[in-house]
Amino acid sequence: MREIKRFILLFPIFFGLWLILSGKFDAFHMSLGVLSSTIVAWFSGDLLFESVGGRSFPKLAKGYLRYIPWLLLQIFLSAIHVLRLSFHPRIKELIDPQIIRFRSSLKDELALVTFANSITLTPGTITVFVDTDGEFRVHALDRKSAEALPGEMEKRVGAIFGDS
């Protein structure tokens, strides 16, 4: 019964993604989309986490949907910051590369991976190392980028997984 519920949840997601990415709406391509989405939804349903950190898949998806717009804004703001650094006349004085070490309060492995990837996606920072115990090493381009870690991003990722 669980497989059918997962299939009913996943098929429209996969088929919608197929339609968006293919951009083809003729009968041939739509039938390929239905076939592909059916196969992928049926065989990958059990690969998704039924519950992570005590949260069900729909709750996780809802948390991610709230987190992604905030993350995109942070990526944009960080890109502007790096752009300003790049064109600043005193660039050599402002850039202060460093490795920041900190321990995250996140416990779930998927939460740690989400946090590490979010850091790497943000211009000016790259996750160099992350351990399952929550130890992070992050390369930061300057002091401003370094001071933001772990900060608000860790809290928001924690909210997705119920760690905060």
Side-chain angles (χ1 to χ4, degrees):
M1 191 64 169
R2 287 184 181 177
E3 291 85 19
I4 294 172
K5 285 182 180 178
R6 282 185 245 177
F7 177 79
I8 290 170
L9 177 69
L10 291 174
F11 175 77
I13 294 170
F14 290 150
F15 186 62
L17 223 100
W18 172 278
L19 290 174
I20 291 169
L21 294 176
S22 74
K24 306 283 184 178
F25 301 104
D26 58 275
F28 175 72
H29 287 96
M30 296 267 287
S31 61
L32 285 178
V34 168
L35 179 66
S36 299
S37 299
T38 300
I39 292 169
V40 172
W42 186 258
F43 286 112
S44 69
D46 61 337
L47 297 176
L48 291 175
F49 304 105
E50 187 161 317
S51 66
V52 177
R55 303 192 108 189
S56 65
F57 178 74
K59 287 182 182 177
L60 280 175
K62 188 177 177 182
Y64 271 111
L65 287 175
R66 277 192 243 131
Y67 175 68
I68 290 173
W70 180 85
L71 178 62
L72 291 173
L73 176 65
Q74 298 310 305
I75 291 170
F76 177 76
L77 294 174
S78 295
I80 297 297
H81 172 70
V82 171
L83 182 68
R84 285 183 181 155
L85 276 177
S86 301
F87 288 108
H88 200 281
R90 296 184 357 239
I91 187 172
K92 289 182 181 180
E93 298 169 21
L94 296 175
I95 292 183
D96 181 22
Q98 50 194 291
I99 300 286
I100 292 91
R101 294 178 180 186
F102 61 89
R103 186 163 296 279
S104 173
S105 62
L106 301 172
K107 303 293 180 225
D108 187 84
E109 285 185 13
L110 188 58
L112 291 169
V113 169
T114 300
F115 184 39
N117 287 337
S118 297
I119 290 170
T120 300
L121 283 171
T122 308
T125 55
I126 297 175
T127 303
V128 178
F129 174 83
V130 63
D131 191 1
T132 55
D133 295 331
E135 180 187 345
F136 275 77
R137 289 188 204 131
V138 177
H139 179 273
L141 187 61
D142 65 333
R143 289 179 197 249
K144 183 178 178 186
S145 300
E147 290 169 356
L149 295 170
E152 181 71 18
M153 188 178 285
E154 180 185 34
K155 291 177 190 169
R156 289 183 180 256
V157 171
I160 297 171
F161 294 91
D163 283 353
S164 63

